[in-house]
Amino acid sequence: MTRSESLAAYLRAQARRRLDRVESNDDGRNARCALALLDTASYAASLPDDDPLILMLDQAGCFGPLGCEGFDPGEAGTRLIRHWQGGEPHELLLALPTAITASAR
């Protein structure tokens, strides 16, 4: 599995998690988040592994210390992904390294 595929699979799993949440008054928030994550997953799957966004995520440690493990954004990255409300797919991918780096301080 390539890094792009691993990232896309992670995002799809998080989207499924949001769709499975049952909250009586979420006003569609979970559905919007799931759609945004699925959109980002589709975008991520189309990126080559040498794309600058993938390389930034690799430098942030999202693919393990050697860059060859499955995608794992850590606690701060997971928190950002789980609360993502939407925007352009690249915006989420750009925000991840900053969130991860800020939490490491």
Side-chain angles (χ1 to χ4, degrees), residues 7-28:
L7 168 60
Y10 181 90
L11 292 169
R12 284 191 296 271
Q14 292 300 312
R16 279 190 299 276
R17 180 184 170 282
R18 287 306 291 245
L19 286 174
D20 289 342
R21 289 184 68 152
V22 177
E23 296 177 10
S24 59
N25 290 328
D26 82 343
D27 295 321

Side-chain angles (χ1 to χ4, degrees), residues 10-83:
Y10 181 90
L11 292 169
R12 284 191 296 271
Q14 292 300 312
R16 279 190 299 276
R17 180 184 170 282
R18 287 306 291 245
L19 286 174
D20 289 342
R21 289 184 68 152
V22 177
E23 296 177 10
S24 59
N25 290 328
D26 82 343
D27 295 321
R29 183 181 65 249
N30 286 318
R32 282 191 305 278
C33 180
L35 288 174
L37 291 174
L38 289 172
D39 191 28
T40 305
S42 178
Y43 174 76
S46 72
L47 297 174
D49 272 357
D50 63 350
D51 186 272
L53 289 171
I54 299 297
L55 295 176
M56 285 174 48
L57 293 170
D58 185 25
Q59 288 179 335
C62 293
F63 298 102
L66 300 177
C68 57
E69 297 175 21
F71 182 79
D72 181 359
E75 189 177 319
T78 298
R79 193 171 31 256
L80 175 65
I81 290 168
R82 286 186 177 168
H83 294 97

